[in-house]
Amino acid sequence: DQQVKQNSPSLSVQEGRISILNCDYTNSMFDYFLWYKKYPAEGPTFLISISSIKDKNEDGRFTVFLNKSAKHLSLHIVPSQPGDSAVYFCAASGAPNNNDMRFGAGTRLTVKP
Amino acid sequence: NAGVTQTPKFQVLKTGQSMTLQCAQDMNHEYMSWYRQDPGMGLRLIHYSVGAGITDQGEVPNGYNVSRSTTEDFPLRLLSAAPSQTSVYFCASSFGGGELFFGEGSRLTVL
């Protein structure tokens, strides 16, 4: 029972364009959402997070949007750069507890020069 | 500052063998955890610890044991390896909420 779903296994965009990665969740108790980025042969690294009291959080080129009524969040990368090519994992938990953090299956982003 | 260190990076086992994946962190984090990553499944929590002497089960704990004798170390033991345990294992730590800091992973193959 995957409580966090990333329905697009892969996404390809042109350098300079916007990348939009999507994530859906089923558990209404989730309160805290994170995005992690993973390069091959490395561990995931934290990218950006958002709590349920907000609907948007920005950090430089990265913006996360949360739509609680739709149980949907998205990560926008503008402008996309070749170095952004990686696997992106969406994660959710009942904040501030890490014990029930659930991850999506990941989306592989390829940014073409 | 090394962060989260996992050893070994690669391991091949035969069915029924035992082994321990080591994890150490130097950030004085109270929370540590083990995840496994399988194709199409994302990361799934195996066991976690909220401090020395305290451990608990995650989403997929069967076939694995853990202990936490110090704040720094959180080893994961496979007592009798099975092919279904072929996976990439990640150790992670945090201050107890929020972002996790991951190690580089340990790729395990059970024949």
Side-chain angles (χ1 to χ4, degrees):
Chain A
D1 175 29
Q2 276 198 290
Q3 298 186 34
V4 178
K5 296 178 183 178
Q6 293 177 256
N7 292 320
S8 299
S10 63
L11 175 67
S12 181
V13 300
Q14 208 65 38
E15 181 178 6
R17 299 291 186 103
I18 185 171
S19 295
I20 300 177
L21 295 94
N22 294 304
C23 178
D24 297 294
Y25 62 96
T26 58
N27 189 339
S28 58
M29 299 301 291
F30 287 145
D31 220 12
Y32 186 59
F33 305 89
L34 308 92
W35 285 93
Y36 289 84
K37 177 179 180 180
K38 184 184 181 303
Y39 292 117
E42 295 184 9
T45 55
F46 171 74
L47 191 57
I48 192 170
S49 64
I50 188 168
S51 73
S52 60
I53 62 172
K54 300 175 77 173
D55 55 17
K56 177 182 174 182
N57 189 27
E58 278 184 272
D59 184 1
R61 296 185 296 114
F62 303 91
T63 302
V64 56
F65 295 91
L66 175 63
N67 182 334
K68 282 195 301 178
S69 61
K71 295 191 179 68
H72 177 82
L73 64 155
S74 60
L75 174 68
H76 292 210
I77 306 173
V78 184
S80 301
Q81 299 173 354
D84 296 328
S85 297
V87 176
Y88 290 79
F89 290 100
C90 171
S93 72
N97 189 350
N98 286 131
N99 306 340
D100 61 355
M101 186 170 290
R102 300 300 174 102
F103 284 79
T107 296
R108 181 178 301 278
L109 173 66
T110 302
V111 181
K112 297 180 178 179
Chain B
N1 190 346
V4 179
T5 302
Q6 290 182 234
T7 56
K9 286 188 169 36
F10 300 94
Q11 183 73 49
V12 179
L13 290 178
K14 294 181 179 178
T15 297
Q17 287 185 317
S18 63
M19 76 155 300
T20 300
L21 297 176
Q22 302 290 346
C23 177
Q25 52 93 8
D26 61 1
M27 297 174 283
N28 204 30
H29 287 168
E30 288 296 323
Y31 179 88
M32 295 185 74
S33 55
W34 277 100
Y35 285 84
R36 59 178 288 173
Q37 183 194 4
D38 302 295
M41 299 293 290
L43 293 153
R44 292 182 291 168
L45 181 63
I46 304 171
H47 285 285
Y48 65 93
S49 168
V50 298
I54 306 169
T55 64
D56 208 342
Q57 297 180 352
E59 190 182 355
V60 287
N62 292 340
Y64 308 95
N65 280 352
V66 292
S67 60
R68 183 96 179 269
S69 57
T70 67
T71 299
E72 295 78 20
D73 300 299
F74 190 45
L76 178 72
R77 297 184 187 85
L78 286 73
L79 297 179
S80 179
S84 61
Q85 294 178 302
T86 293
S87 187
V88 181
Y89 292 85
F90 290 99
C91 180
S93 71
S94 80
F95 287 111
E99 66 178 281
L100 291 168
F101 293 81
F102 285 89
E104 291 187 338
S106 299
R107 183 177 293 275
L108 174 66
T109 301
V110 182
L111 303 176

